[in-house]
């Protein structure tokens, strides 16, 4: 007996199946939009040689990172972020000399959870990079490869709870209660307080720990687009802990000659303040950096000259004699993904 197929019925089943498949795709897309996982990170390495001294006498400027001669490693970091509808987490894992110097153990640069309580309020708890200063730990976020004295002297990271408030389109406020700066554990029962007031890309930052480590620091960080090609960054800070501390200012003029190449200068004047010495030592540090991008790879050639005043002679010249100045050349390769 011949079977008769109802083509209209088959078409209805096929159409219904397509609708269900499309609906499932929409639900999956909505779930994907509400819960997003992202992986990013960077790898960097460099070559450095002294210009005013022999490489046979290893020495560095005294600021953080990029303090090796010859071919050297920076760090590798992997950032995993999970973003839900109103909550999320970030885990930033680092390896290598730059990461070791920055985090002080656990290989964790950042590890925190956050809650977007409203469109204007976000709570964050865990370990997060500092809000003070112009420069950051990752070389991807800095124009110059070597770092400033202001960055090296201020905090790197904090462990605690902070609240960020968007007061308006231009104004922002952050308040924080944290362990003492750059400590993973609270072993003394001491805490620190932090605050940041932002307006149109300019930030006034405050930190206080009652003299436990850094003491008190006030910091201004900002910048201005003077033209489509020319940007000027600014950082100024003052820190005091019962007569011990530092102060300084750094300017970051940067000019983009094309979409792929930019050149920038960091000019920094930094003073170490101490009641233990009559004349506070100060240094003028000039760093000229080029930045050439090829896809995700950034190549940075850099020349740096540091010159101390007063009677400070922390370096050695090519003949091995004490010197106030040190100059070097480096080229760094930074890949971000």
């Amino acid at each position: 007996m011949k079977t008769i197929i109802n083509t209209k019925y088959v078409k209805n089943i096929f159409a219904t199946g397509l609708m269900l498949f499309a609906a499932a795709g929409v639900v999956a897309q909505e779930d994907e939009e509400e819960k997003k996982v992202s992986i990013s990170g960077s790898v960097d390495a460099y070559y450095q040689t002294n210009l005013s001294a022999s490489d046979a006498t290893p020495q560095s400027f005294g600021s953080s990172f990029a303090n090796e001669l010859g071919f050297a490693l920076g760090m590798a970091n992997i950032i995993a972020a999970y973003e839900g509808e109103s909550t999320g987490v970030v885990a930033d894992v680092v390896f290598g000399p730059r990461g070791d110097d920055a985090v002080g153990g656990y290989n964790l640069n950042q590890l925190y959870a956050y809650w977007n309580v409203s469109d204007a309020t976000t709570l964050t708890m865990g370990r997060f990079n500092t809000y003070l200063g112009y420069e950051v730990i990752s070389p991807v976020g800095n124009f110059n490869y070597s770092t400033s004295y202001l960055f090296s002297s201020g905090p790197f990271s904090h462990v605690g709870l902070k609240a960020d408030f968007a007061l308006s389109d231009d104004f922002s406020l952050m308040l924080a209660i944290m362990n003492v700066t750059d400590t993973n554990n609270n072993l003394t029962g001491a805490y620190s307080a932090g605050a940041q007031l932002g307006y149109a890309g300019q930030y006034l930052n405050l930190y206080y720990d009652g003299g436990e480590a850094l003491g008190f620091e006030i910091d201004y960080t900002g910048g201005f687009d003077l033209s489509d090609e020319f940007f000027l960054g600014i950082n100024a800070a003052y820190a005091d802990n019962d007569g011990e501390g530092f102060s300084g200012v750094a300017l970051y003029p940067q000019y983009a000659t094309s979409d792929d190449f930019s050149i920038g200068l960091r000019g920094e004047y930094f003073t170490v303040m101490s009641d233990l010495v009559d004349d506070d030592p100060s240094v003028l540090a000039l760093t000229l950096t080029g930045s050439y991008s090829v896809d995700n790879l950034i190549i940075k050639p850099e020349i740096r000259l540091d010159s101390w005043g007063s009677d400070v002679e922390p370096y050695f010249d090519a003949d091995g004699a004490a010197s106030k100045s040190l100059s070097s050349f480096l080229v760094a390769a930074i890949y971000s993904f």
Side-chain angles (χ1 to χ4, degrees):
M1 179 173 125
K2 186 176 180 181
T3 302
I4 300 175
I5 299 176
N6 189 331
T7 57
K8 182 178 181 181
Y9 178 74
V10 171
K11 290 179 179 179
N12 288 338
I13 292 178
F14 182 72
T16 302
L18 286 177
M19 292 176 62
L20 291 174
F21 183 80
V26 170
V27 172
Q29 183 177 4
E30 290 177 350
D31 288 343
E32 184 178 354
E33 290 176 351
E34 292 178 358
K35 300 178 180 179
K36 300 177 182 177
V37 176
S38 63
I39 303 293
S40 61
S42 67
V43 173
D44 65 286
Y46 63 97
Y47 170 83
Q48 182 168 216
T49 183
N50 286 328
L51 300 177
S52 61
S54 171
D55 286 353
T57 305
Q59 54 189 311
S60 61
F61 295 103
S63 55
S64 298
F65 316 141
N67 51 16
E68 299 291 339
L69 297 175
F71 292 99
L73 303 178
M75 74 177 190
N77 77 306
I78 300 175
I79 305 171
Y82 177 88
E83 181 183 356
E85 186 174 355
S86 62
T87 62
V89 294
V90 172
D92 182 355
V93 183
V94 293
F95 305 92
R98 189 180 184 112
D100 292 342
D101 291 345
V103 304
Y106 300 128
N107 295 106
L108 292 175
N109 184 26
Q110 301 186 94
L111 184 66
Y112 61 82
Y114 63 88
W115 174 26
N116 296 319
V117 181
S118 67
D119 292 339
T121 304
T122 299
L123 297 177
T124 302
M125 187 172 183
R127 178 186 176 99
F128 42 85
N129 288 160
T130 188
Y131 54 94
L132 295 104
Y134 184 87
E135 300 178 19
V136 295
I137 294 173
S138 172
V140 177
N142 296 330
F143 189 89
N144 308 101
Y145 186 73
S146 66
T147 56
S148 67
Y149 289 94
L150 285 170
F151 167 80
S152 303
S153 302
F156 284 170
S157 299
H158 309 279
V159 176
L161 172 67
K162 66 173 182 173
D164 289 278
F165 305 97
L167 304 180
S168 69
D169 290 341
D170 291 326
F171 276 102
S172 64
L173 175 67
M174 187 278 294
L175 300 174
I177 180 71
M178 306 163 292
N179 292 343
V180 173
T181 177
D182 294 307
T183 57
N184 291 309
N185 302 313
N186 188 329
L187 302 177
T188 64
Y191 292 91
S192 64
Q196 179 187 79
L197 179 64
Y199 174 73
Q202 316 305 311
Y203 299 95
L204 182 64
N205 307 303
L206 299 171
Y207 171 87
Y208 179 73
D209 63 22
E212 290 291 328
L214 187 60
F216 167 76
E217 181 176 356
I218 182 170
D219 170 273
Y220 162 69
T221 302
F224 302 92
D225 290 310
L226 302 181
S227 70
D228 291 339
E229 298 83 14
F230 188 35
F231 173 79
L232 177 63
I234 306 173
N235 185 206
Y238 172 88
D240 178 71
N241 188 0
D242 195 21
E244 305 296 316
F246 62 87
S247 64
V249 61
L251 300 179
Y252 300 81
Q254 299 160 15
Y255 185 79
T257 62
S258 67
D259 292 338
D260 298 327
F261 183 77
S262 299
I263 188 168
L265 173 71
R266 179 181 60 217
E268 179 184 20
Y269 185 78
F270 179 84
T271 300
V272 179
M273 300 185 302
S274 176
D275 290 340
L276 302 178
V277 295
D278 295 332
D279 188 10
D280 293 337
S282 60
V283 59
L284 176 64
L286 302 175
T287 306
L288 182 65
T289 307
S291 181
Y292 178 68
S293 300
V294 184
D295 296 329
N296 291 350
L297 176 66
I298 305 174
I299 300 173
K300 290 183 181 286
E302 181 171 290
I303 296 176
R304 176 167 175 169
L305 169 64
D306 287 18
S307 181
W308 286 84
S310 133
D311 296 326
V312 177
E313 295 181 321
Y315 310 122
F316 298 95
D317 61 19
D319 297 325
S323 174
K324 296 177 180 291
S325 334
L326 180 66
S327 60
S328 76
F329 168 79
L330 70 76
V331 57
I334 306 165
Y335 192 91
S336 61
F337 57 88

